Amino acid sequence: MNQTTQDNSPLFSATTLGPYTLKNRIVMPPLTRSRSTQPGNIANDLMATYYAQRASAGFMVTEGTQIEPRGQGYAWTPGIHSAAQIAGWKKVTQAVHAKGGIIFAQLWHVGRVSHTSLQPNEAAPIAPSAITADNVKVFIETGPGTGALSEPSTPRALTTEEVGELVAMYAQAARNALEAGFDGVELHCANGYLVNQFISQHTNQRDDQYGGSLTNRLRFLQEIVAAVSAVVGPERLGVRFAPLFSSTDETRVYLGLVESDPHTTYIEAIKILEQAGIAYLSIAEADWDNAPDLPEQFYQAARAQFSGRIIYAGKYTVEKALRILNQGYGDLFAFGRPFIANPDLPTRIKHQWPLNQADAATMYGGTDIGYSDYSSYTNS
């Protein structure tokens, strides 16, 4: 993040999100860190410390949290479907609330981006259609505390009845999130995971009401938004998309799927969210090196179609955040890696203090090292 002398005060102007008044416009986005307790994928005291350290964010969204056992695509990621997992997340929400923070749970299902070793009874992963994910790796456990990247397993296609059961699972996960003390939930509908697999022409070859036309491919999104809204209230619900207009050959990057007409696909999806009256739309932009910004036309159309808060993320600098805010395209801005390495990120941005750099080697799995041991800035 480039920290030249500039007026950063607009990022600290008053704003609201649903029923909440936010202390700034700086968001901690979902960041997979794979620190949950095993067995059981349970949120723990270490995670509570980590999130509480970052509670000065305007608000936070948890790492992706699988809504059911089949929703897991990476070792050691937390779930929100068992009683032990709910109890573990209570520790996190209580620690964050004690620091005056606001935290939403990101409800996640990876669909086909998984491996049989991560699935109940080592079954095939589930997906809208039986098409194997390419250009992506999953992370599997190879021993206690050790793991390796692997090719995803070939999925099996869901029956129509099973799609309806998944909608109910999203609603139950939302109930679990409320029980765990979360202030709201975000639906992970980006990055090539289950909801994105229904939306995408590349991964959805169904011939029932969930496939074919764009209207049908958006039906699963529409149904889970309605089901979760009924549980938490639309004012406590957000949805995350990653509307890619270009791709990259970098194998480490997995941002999802580029549609033949991404503008129409995602503006139609945004219209569904507007109709549902949800609190916010979160848009993850391409984040590989030298990735292009979204087209100006898309920023304009997203703002024109959606009246709630819009969050932008994707290697954002303070300068870019200020530009998008001043143009009126976005309201809140998420900073991922900077938040990993700087628990006091809002204060550093406010005072234009230098930033710690994130250590890539300790990003996933492990202990407190590279997780809760990053220092705050002391201006002495």
Side-chain angles (χ1 to χ4, degrees), residues 191-336:
N191 303 122
Y193 297 119
L194 181 66
V195 186
N196 196 177
Q197 289 159 33
F198 274 94
I199 294 170
S200 178
Q201 64 196 89
H202 304 297
T203 47
N204 184 340
Q205 295 179 359
R206 300 179 69 86
D207 56 11
D208 63 0
Q209 67 264 39
Y210 295 101
S213 67
L214 178 57
T215 299
N216 281 0
R217 297 200 314 273
L218 291 171
R219 192 181 306 278
F220 184 63
L221 167 72
Q222 189 166 21
E223 289 183 359
I224 64 171
V225 166
V228 173
S229 284
V231 173
V232 302
E235 73 283 1
R236 288 179 173 83
L237 176 60
V239 166
R240 185 170 233 214
F241 292 140
L244 291 188
F245 285 75
S246 62
S247 193
T248 176
D249 293 331
E250 292 184 39
T251 51
R252 66 174 185 81
V253 172
Y254 188 60
L255 265 172
L257 304 142
V258 183
E259 305 308 309
S260 58
D261 183 357
H263 183 93
T264 299
T265 300
Y266 282 97
I267 294 304
E268 288 304 309
I270 289 167
K271 287 178 183 176
I272 288 171
L273 307 187
E274 173 65 14
Q275 200 168 7
I278 70 168
Y280 72 86
L281 161 66
S282 177
I283 295 177
E285 296 191 39
D287 69 349
W288 55 85
D289 289 339
N290 303 314
D293 288 352
L294 286 167
E296 195 82 7
Q297 183 188 10
F298 184 82
Y299 287 122
Q300 292 170 348
R303 176 51 91 194
Q305 293 296 339
F306 189 71
S307 60
R309 297 286 177 249
I310 300 180
I311 303 170
Y312 278 103
K315 273 201 173 170
Y316 261 64
T317 59
V318 171
E319 290 80 8
K320 185 176 178 183
L322 289 167
R323 175 167 60 82
I324 297 295
L325 179 62
N326 291 336
Q327 288 174 304
Y329 296 152
D331 306 291
L332 301 161
F333 302 92
F335 300 94

Side-chain angles (χ1 to χ4, degrees), residues 44-54 92 95 99 371-372:
N44 51 42
D45 292 335
L46 180 62
M47 291 167 62
T49 298
Y50 165 81
Y51 281 108
Q53 286 172 339
R54 289 155 181 79
V92 175
K99 291 280 193 77
Y371 187 63
S372 59

Side-chain angles (χ1 to χ4, degrees), residues 86-98:
I86 295 167
W89 280 117
K90 277 181 184 170
K91 297 178 181 178
V92 175
T93 60
Q94 286 167 359
V96 168
H97 291 152

